[in-house]
Each structure stands twice: as C-alpha cells, then as structure tokens.
Amino acid sequence: RRYGFHGTSHRFVSKRCIELMGGVENAHRVIVCHLGNGSSLSAVKDGKCQDTSMGLSPLAGVPMGTRAGDIDTCVAQFIMNKYNMSADDCLTMLNKKSGVLALSDGVSSDFRDLDAAAEKGNEAAQLALDKFAYEVRKYIGAYAAALGGVDCIVFTAGVGENSGSMRASICDGLEYLGVKLDAEKNKLRGEEVIISTPDSKVTVWVIPTNEELMIAQDTAAHGSSHAHHGHAEQVHMLLHCQGCAGNGKGHRADQFKIKLKTGIVIPPVYNSITIPRPQGKIYP
Ligand code: AMP
C-alpha cells in the first residue's frame, strides 16, 4: 500500500489550485510538488489524487534532505554485504544520512546551505542541487504521462515556496510540455502566485501549503458527522506544534471549538492533534 505521507498538504494545495483556476474544468490535471526537508509529488486528476511518489514509507520518491529516495532494491543488499550492516542500520542510513546531505559530501541537508555553498563553488553542493532538480523534473514528466498531459504544476513547502532558483532549475527542460516561467514572477516567495508567463500552456503556481487548516477542516467535518449521528455537541480541538508533540502541554498553535446540536460527549481522539509544523513559519 502507498501511504503518501504529505497527503494533507497535497490535498490542500491541489484543492486551492483548482479553486484559484476557477474550477476543475480549468485544472483537470495538476501535479503538486511538495518540496521541503521531505519531498513528494502527486498527480491529481479531476481533483482526485491518482499517484504519489512516497510509498509504504516516506523513503520512496525523489531524493530529500537526508532520504535517498527511489533506489534499486539491490543497493540495500550491496550496502549490507559491503559494510557488514544489518537491514535496520542500512535503512537508517538510507533515511537519515543520504539524500542531498550525502550527495553534497556532508555539506548540509538544508537547501539554503547548499545554495550558499554552491555559490562559493562547492561542486558537491551543486551536484546535490542538480540531482534533486533532475529527479523532480523526471517525476513531473512521469506524472504528465500518467495524467495524459498537465494543466497546472504547483510548488509548495519550504523549498517549493521559497527557492526561485530551484523552481527554475526544475522547470528548465520542461518547455516541451508547454512550461514557460516568468523570471520576475519566479523571484516571489511564500505567496500565492502564478510564476508562468501568460502564454505558457501549463500554469505554474506557488501555493503556500496550510496543513494545519486542512487538518482543522477535516477534523471539523469529522466532528460534525459524529454530532450528526448524535455523538457530540461540542468538539474541542487543540492543535499542538510538532516540537511539543507528545508532552501533551506544549505550546498551542490554535484552538477550535465546534458547537453542535446534540449530546455533550467529547471523543478523546479530538482533544489533541499533532500538526506537522507551526503555521506561518517564516524562513530567512
Ligand atoms: P519544510 O520541510 O517544508 O519545512 O521545508 C524546510 C526546508 O525548506 C529547509 O530544509 C530548507 O532547505 C528549505 N528552505 C526554506 N527556505 C528556503 C530558501 N529561501 N531557499 C532554499 N531553501 C529553503
């Protein structure tokens, strides 16, 4: 089974893209690129996710900060034999010490550091950036084939929202699909904006993700359905930021109270929801 992992973000961003395009009739085929410390792409047809690059675990897909992304399965066997490693140690290495961190010879898993190092002439950092862009571009091509074309490409998450140079590097070579970036618009970051030219066949968007809002909306919908069935009158939700997850009292990102019609049973499952990252985080 493919779990997908950034599903909340993909869903929020693809819905928002369809809304901004004025309806699904203008955005039949959307490719969402969630590029952050962890990265994944999804292919969305008529508002429904058809494919996603992460799999049973988040290791699959494009290379990431520290995850290798797709590899030949035999690589694991090769590494285990060569370095006398257990399967667990090998998987830990592929999850935590690989990706752009390893490709850059240990410079960093953070794309800002890689940009800075590459600018100073560090070839390994440049290789890591180029390889990342290449693999994302390959997935876009694969998903365009799977969807029978593409109407919109959307960039989101830390790298996707903030790095114009990475977006340009990914789109460089997608002209055959009808992608034409507007170099000036592509300098913008962290806001909802079309970064393709008016005559580009594919509309390329930057849409900041809002996983917290999506979780809140989903939970509210779930809460209302419970209420509808007479289970709850009020559903309280506390959203905790990930850094505080688990201690039960960390700082509260947001609070929701939903007043419903019948009964006053508050299912404990609604008391606390862990969110992936604090809302409105500003990147320098
Ligand atoms: P996320 O996992 O979505 O929080 O994204 C975190 C990643 O976004 C960081 O590891 C950075 O590599 C990347 N990032 C944030 N801001 C920038 C920027 N201005 N340029 C390049 N990468 C950035």
Side-chain angles (χ1 to χ4, degrees):
R1 182 166 184 172
R2 295 186 88 81
Y3 286 102
F5 295 91
H6 292 129
T8 313
S9 172
H10 285 283
R11 205 147 63 81
F12 175 82
V13 169
S14 56
K15 270 178 78 167
R16 184 74 189 128
C17 170
I18 290 167
E19 240 170 65
L20 290 164
M21 291 295 291
V24 81
E25 59 278 15
N26 303 320
H28 287 294
R29 302 155 301 179
V30 178
I31 298 174
V32 178
C33 310
H34 177 112
L35 311 177
N37 195 29
S39 295
S40 63
L41 285 87
S42 63
V44 180
K45 188 147 202 182
D46 292 327
K48 197 162 181 258
C49 182
Q50 171 179 318
D51 206 343
T52 179
S53 63
M54 282 178 166
L56 175 76
S57 85
L59 185 55
V62 293
M64 309 176 205
T66 63
R67 294 191 195 111
D70 295 334
I71 51 159
D72 175 351
T73 315
C74 288
V75 167
Q77 185 190 34
F78 176 83
I79 292 170
M80 285 190 279
N81 287 340
K82 180 158 181 179
Y83 298 103
N84 196 22
M85 251 184 200
S86 67
D88 281 357
D89 286 348
C90 180
L91 263 287
T92 301
M93 190 181 82
L94 289 170
N95 269 296
K96 304 212 156 144
K97 293 181 185 166
S98 303
V100 293
L101 174 65
L103 286 164
S104 67
D105 259 342
V107 169
S108 182
S109 63
D110 190 309
F111 284 77
R112 287 162 293 195
D113 299 337
L114 295 175
D115 280 341
E119 250 170 56
K120 285 189 195 136
N122 186 310
E123 287 180 11
Q126 189 60 55
L127 173 77
L129 292 167
D130 291 347
K131 169 77 174 163
F132 181 78
Y134 177 80
E135 294 298 331
V136 173
R137 196 183 314 125
K138 258 169 63 178
Y139 257 98
I140 292 175
Y143 283 173
L147 293 169
V150 53
D151 303 306
C152 302
I153 295 173
V154 191
F155 289 100
T156 194
V159 179
E161 288 166 31
N162 293 294
S163 177
S165 61
M166 181 50 74
R167 294 190 297 251
S169 173
I170 291 166
C171 292
D172 186 12
L174 293 180
E175 296 78 9
Y176 76 98
L177 276 181
V179 173
K180 254 199 210 174
L181 276 199
D182 179 321
E184 281 309 303
K185 292 263 178 63
N186 187 40
K187 287 182 186 154
L188 298 170
R189 29 183 293 215
E191 58 181 283
E192 271 175 3
V193 62
I194 293 177
I195 56 168
S196 49
T197 57
D199 64 334
S200 176
K201 272 202 237 157
V202 178
T203 311
V204 185
W205 282 94
V206 171
I207 300 181
T209 191
N210 196 337
E211 291 156 306
E212 299 85 344
L213 180 63
M214 193 81 251
I215 292 169
Q217 284 172 348
D218 281 353
T219 312
H222 202 52
S224 341
S225 102
H226 267 256
H228 187 69
H229 292 101
H231 298 315
E233 176 176 336
Q234 290 192 322
V235 178
H236 295 267
M237 294 187 285
L238 301 183
L239 301 189
H240 292 273
C241 95
Q242 194 172 40
C244 317
N247 69 12
K249 54 182 163 49
H251 92 252
R252 218 161 53 204
D254 215 338
Q255 185 170 13
F256 295 82
K257 202 181 207 185
I258 304 162
K259 280 204 165 228
L260 303 163
K261 286 178 199 148
T262 50
I264 310 188
V265 182
I266 300 165
V269 67
Y270 298 136
N271 285 351
S272 160
I273 293 167
T274 302
I275 57 171
R277 60 177 194 181
Q279 189 168 7
K281 187 167 156 187
I282 306 295
Y283 296 104

